[in-house]
Amino acid sequence: MSDETKPPGETGEVDGPGDPIARLIRLSGSRPPVPEDRMARVRDAVHLRWSESVKRDRYRRLVIVIAAQVATAASLALIVGYGLRWWDRKPAPDDSTAEIVRTEGEVRLSDGALLSAGGRIAPGAQLTTGPGGRAAMSLSAGPAVRLDSETDVRLISDSILELLRGAVYVDTGSAFPQAAAANAHGIEIRTRLGRVRDIGTRFEVRLADDRLRVSVREGVAALARDDRTYTAPAGTRLRVDSSGAVETGTVEPLGTDWDWIQSITPPFDLEGRTLSAYLDWLSRETGWSVTYAEPSIARSAPGIIMHGTTSGLRPDETAAAVLPTCGLSHRLEGTTLIIESAPGEGAGR
């Protein structure tokens, strides 16, 4: 093994064998020292740049902190402001006394505003129906009330009405006995000739020419006058004349006395309801009793689902339009509505 010839002065022990950069640095020798004044100027320049950089960083951090605080304060103010506006704009509880369900002809408030279906009536409001006007409304307490033509009534509350003239019909509904148990006063109709209070019933109160008439169609009503109370069961009519004398008579559950109520009855929504539900409504509105010619129809009635509405028809006109759609017909014998299969239809379709 022989050694290779090396350039003069090269030992082969520098940073790495054959490293050209190392050889150049070694051959160049030592550099002269940097003058002190130049070093000072460099140090000053570097220190100045460093100081400015630090100041800028501090300023940026300060701006960011301030901006964050301002944003937080603004967000808080926005939240508080929104909360206050929300608080101020919270909808007030519905304190209406009644809702108009249907009107015919002219029905107005005492300030002249015309009423229509969907209108809400505030406590203390006075309603007036014109010569051809009628209204059906639902009191917040539950009962249905209908106003005849040329009637003035003030809604003192959802359980107290003041009749000034004309006639009102009240239907407390099947759910009212529970409400009556919680409210001993029930529904009260006030007139200048006495106060009429129901005991779960349907009745009419009519005031005209300084004479009061109370007709009870179902249930029981009570007339309080001075220190006396007159109880009127279904089929009873009380009359009070201008002198205050009270006379007791009778009234039929059907007939022309109740005819005006049919014209303002809200329509029955058939959609998705059963035949049984429709017939219950029909019986209640007309006073008819309902019976079935065949037991199979009675069994099928709760399961027959109906569609549509009775809008535009009086209750006593609806059977002719509704029952044929179920494959049924009817006949009226006195006050009894008999339901039977239509000709050519199977029983209980």
Side-chain angles (χ1 to χ4, degrees):
M1 187 176 201
S2 61
D3 293 334
E4 295 182 359
T5 304
K6 300 178 176 58
E10 187 172 2
T11 65
E13 298 176 357
V14 195
D15 299 324
D19 187 344
I21 295 176
R23 287 197 298 271
L24 288 173
I25 292 174
R26 189 168 54 251
L27 291 173
S28 65
S30 301
R31 293 181 60 83
V34 179
E36 185 62 30
D37 58 340
R38 183 179 297 178
M39 288 289 292
R41 287 197 302 272
V42 171
R43 284 195 299 269
D44 292 343
V46 171
H47 185 271
L48 179 61
R49 287 295 183 91
W50 174 80
S51 299
E52 291 176 350
S53 176
V54 170
K55 289 179 180 178
R56 281 196 303 270
D57 290 343
R58 287 178 177 173
Y59 177 75
R60 288 194 188 101
R61 288 196 295 270
L62 181 60
V63 169
I64 291 171
V65 170
I66 292 174
Q69 292 175 343
V70 170
T72 301
S75 300
L76 182 60
L78 180 63
I79 293 170
V80 172
Y82 178 81
L84 289 175
R85 288 195 300 272
W86 175 85
W87 181 268
D88 290 339
R89 295 179 183 178
K90 282 191 305 183
D94 183 5
D95 59 354
S96 58
T97 299
E99 178 180 0
I100 299 295
V101 179
R102 181 182 175 186
T103 61
E104 293 288 343
E106 186 176 283
V107 181
R108 295 184 181 274
L109 290 171
S110 57
D111 61 4
L114 194 63
L115 289 172
S116 59
R120 309 292 300 188
I121 310 300
Q126 181 173 324
L127 281 67
T128 298
T129 59
R134 291 192 174 102
M137 57 186 177
S138 174
L139 297 183
S140 300
V145 174
R146 295 166 200 171
L147 309 181
D148 198 5
S149 302
E150 299 184 272
T151 293
D152 287 332
V153 63
R154 180 177 294 111
L155 279 67
I156 297 175
S157 72
D158 62 359
S159 61
I160 301 176
L161 280 66
E162 181 181 8
L163 178 63
L164 304 175
R165 68 169 181 136
V168 299
Y169 174 81
V170 177
D171 184 345
T172 60
S174 59
F176 187 73
Q178 289 81 1
N183 180 4
H185 297 290
I187 301 301
E188 181 177 285
I189 309 296
R190 295 178 179 176
T191 75
R192 60 181 176 272
L193 296 177
R195 301 185 308 279
V196 181
R197 190 165 54 80
D198 81 284
I199 309 174
T201 185
R202 292 182 290 158
F203 64 98
E204 179 200 65
V205 180
R206 185 175 292 273
L207 179 65
D209 301 326
D210 288 329
R211 285 175 171 78
L212 177 66
R213 191 178 76 185
V214 180
S215 305
V216 183
R217 195 177 191 186
E218 180 185 66
V220 180
L223 168 67
R225 176 174 171 78
D226 298 329
D227 57 350
R228 292 194 59 184
T229 298
Y230 303 84
T231 301
T236 301
R237 170 171 285 165
L238 301 177
R239 292 185 177 89
V240 184
D241 63 22
S242 57
S243 67
V246 179
E247 178 185 338
T248 301
T250 61
V251 61
E252 295 296 327
L254 296 174
T256 57
D257 285 332
W258 310 103
D259 194 61
W260 71 269
I261 299 165
Q262 298 265 336
S263 66
I264 194 58
T265 298
F268 183 80
D269 187 5
L270 295 167
E271 195 64 36
R273 307 288 293 279
T274 66
L275 175 61
S276 293
Y278 160 70
L279 292 174
D280 288 344
W281 170 82
L282 180 62
S283 176
R284 186 170 189 82
E285 294 297 340
T286 60
W288 297 336
S289 59
V290 176
T291 188
Y292 299 93
E294 305 157 49
S296 59
I297 301 177
R299 290 193 299 269
S300 300
I304 298 177
I305 305 302
M306 317 197 68
H307 304 281
T309 179
T310 63
S311 180
L313 298 174
R314 290 164 46 111
D316 55 6
E317 297 171 339
T318 61
V322 171
L323 294 177
T325 67
C326 305
L328 300 171
S329 64
H330 71 284
R331 67 179 188 271
L332 188 63
E333 295 185 356
T335 62
T336 300
L337 184 72
I338 302 172
I339 310 298
E340 54 194 0
S341 296
E345 296 288 346
R349 175 181 171 180

